[in-house]
Amino acid sequence: MTRRCRGCGDTALRTLLDLRTVPAADHFPPRDSPVRPTESGHPLRMDRCAACGLAQLADDDTVTAEPRGIEPQALRDQAADAIDRVRAAGLLTGATVTEFGSPHGGTWLPLSGFTEATGPADIVLDCFGIMHEPDQRAAFAARAAATAPAGVLLVQFHSLAAIVAQGQWNALRHGHFAYYSLSSLRTLLAAAGMSVVTAWEFDLYGGTVLVAARHGSHPADRAVEELLAAEEEVLAAAGGLQQVVDRHVGALHDWLEDCAAQGLRTFAYGAASRAVALLAMAGAHRELLAGVADASPGKQGRRMPGTDVPIISPTDLVAAEPDAVLLTLPDLLREVRTSLPQLDGCWFVDDPVRPRKVDR
């Protein structure tokens, strides 16, 4: 059966990144359950449409329920900043709001002065939600329909340009069906009858973009044009993303082996989806990595998929008196250094070249 683009329906799909088979990113088995070979047997590939530019998950054979994570402080801080910027731009107007949420949790509600709409809303919010929709064309149509004729649709996404520029290959995961450039997002919105009027950049996840869109045809401001020009240059090198994978996986494996050879007790922090393929492909096991701490009670007492590495609480991590702690999500650094001062001097931030030690 011929595959078609999730956004525009074209058949001109080209492979951008192929991880072959990995564990499901959202299934954390019980801690003491055996690690079976089939656990790491799920194909994971990113294709890109030559017609509309949308990067997308090729297939997903996983059917699992994700233990809901704890919303990090960095995400809450960025949400507050985003709302302030939208308000300052004069776009946070009207009285009603609708939010298309993310299955990972987190919300931009309540918005002061707004009530949740029962029909088309003045403000429609989507923060990392729409990428979870298998049918992208229908998803954008639904959000356009939820936006009042004079309303504003706000969509935030992890930038494909940032993924390419920073070698974030492990942003690819099951359940994330789309990876947007600003250009592809504009195309998808245009097909739903909407225009991007402005955009903002944030450092979250190495590079996220928030766009504001309106019904009809409207000119884009300078911020949009500058972002489009910058991402065009970066995405010209998108084919090199595949080459980052082996280098990153090999560097992490070598670092874990080096730590073990020195007799260091090594742990990680953050049982996030992007850590699943990375740790499994790097051959992590309990002799190299004693545990992965995570603040989510739903993940504690389980293990990292495809490995025997247990997931523990932050309290247990401190009690273990680790020599080195690999932070799988760099955005959490400020938060964990504040909440876990006992570990100051132990932190290493994951990096495609080699884990980077954080100074005291």
Side-chain angles (χ1 to χ4, degrees):
M1 180 178 178
T2 302
R3 286 199 62 252
R4 294 186 176 276
C5 174
R6 297 181 186 277
C8 71
D10 202 283
T11 58
L13 298 172
R14 301 290 182 269
T15 298
L16 187 62
L17 178 64
D18 191 351
L19 301 186
R20 300 180 182 84
T21 56
V22 298
D26 53 7
H27 175 61
F28 295 86
R31 174 174 177 156
D32 295 321
S33 61
V35 182
R36 304 184 187 282
T38 54
E39 197 172 302
S40 295
H42 301 282
L44 186 58
R45 189 178 84 242
M46 180 192 288
D47 289 342
R48 193 177 181 202
C49 178
C52 72
L54 180 66
Q56 54 203 274
L57 185 64
D59 294 293
D60 190 349
D61 66 352
T62 66
V63 183
T64 52
E66 178 173 4
R68 187 175 292 265
I70 301 296
E71 185 181 17
Q73 185 62 47
L75 188 57
R76 295 194 294 271
D77 291 344
Q78 189 272 320
D81 183 19
I83 292 297
D84 287 344
R85 294 199 204 185
V86 176
R87 183 177 286 110
L91 293 173
L92 206 61
T93 61
T96 58
V97 63
T98 289
E99 183 175 49
F100 288 83
S102 163
H104 302 303
T107 180
W108 286 13
L109 299 178
L111 279 180
S112 178
F114 286 78
T115 57
E116 293 194 46
T118 56
D122 298 313
I123 300 293
V124 175
L125 307 170
D126 189 305
C127 179
F128 309 124
I130 197 166
M131 68 188 301
H132 297 88
E133 301 282 358
D135 187 336
Q136 287 288 297
R137 181 157 41 183
F140 277 92
R143 284 149 180 79
T147 308
V152 174
L153 170 63
L154 298 170
V155 179
Q156 183 160 15
F157 60 95
H158 188 188
S159 165
L160 179 62
I163 291 172
V164 171
Q166 299 176 37
Q168 297 176 350
W169 60 271
N170 54 337
L172 176 63
R173 56 148 288 179
H174 301 105
H176 287 183
F177 292 96
Y179 301 82
Y180 312 99
S181 63
L182 179 54
S183 176
S184 65
L185 191 82
R186 282 214 311 177
T187 300
L188 291 165
L189 284 166
M194 303 191 80
S195 303
V196 173
V197 294
T198 192
W200 300 266
E201 286 185 282
F202 300 90
D203 292 335
L204 188 70
Y205 303 146
T208 59
V209 176
L210 171 66
V211 302
R214 290 186 179 279
H215 286 289
S217 179
H218 302 277
D221 69 2
R222 183 176 177 180
V224 172
E225 299 304 327
E226 289 177 349
L227 277 171
L228 286 170
E231 76 173 19
E232 182 178 7
E233 182 177 352
V234 172
L235 293 179
L241 190 59
Q242 183 72 50
Q243 300 171 13
V244 180
V245 180
D246 289 342
R247 185 167 68 245
H248 190 177
V249 168
L252 178 57
H253 179 80
D254 290 347
W255 180 78
L256 290 171
E257 291 276 9
D258 289 347
C259 289
Q262 297 173 55
L264 302 180
R265 283 182 55 76
T266 305
F267 289 77
Y269 189 101
S273 60
R274 69 172 56 188
V276 171
L278 175 62
L279 294 181
M281 293 174 69
H285 55 80
R286 291 190 190 191
E287 298 304 313
L288 296 178
L289 191 65
V292 178
D294 196 278
S296 170
K299 295 179 181 179
Q300 294 163 15
R302 295 178 176 271
R303 60 173 171 81
M304 293 301 295
T307 81
D308 63 354
V309 179
I311 301 174
I312 62 176
S313 71
T315 301
D316 289 338
L317 175 63
V318 172
E321 299 183 348
D323 298 304
V325 181
L326 177 73
L327 185 61
T328 63
L329 291 174
D331 292 283
L332 297 179
L333 181 59
R334 185 175 67 174
E335 182 177 341
V336 295
R337 293 190 74 177
T338 299
S339 61
L340 302 171
Q342 308 94 322
L343 301 181
D344 202 24
C346 298
W347 295 106
F348 287 77
V349 174
D350 180 48
D351 186 272
V353 177
R354 186 175 175 87
R356 172 173 47 85
K357 186 171 177 59
V358 178
D359 295 332
R360 286 181 180 271

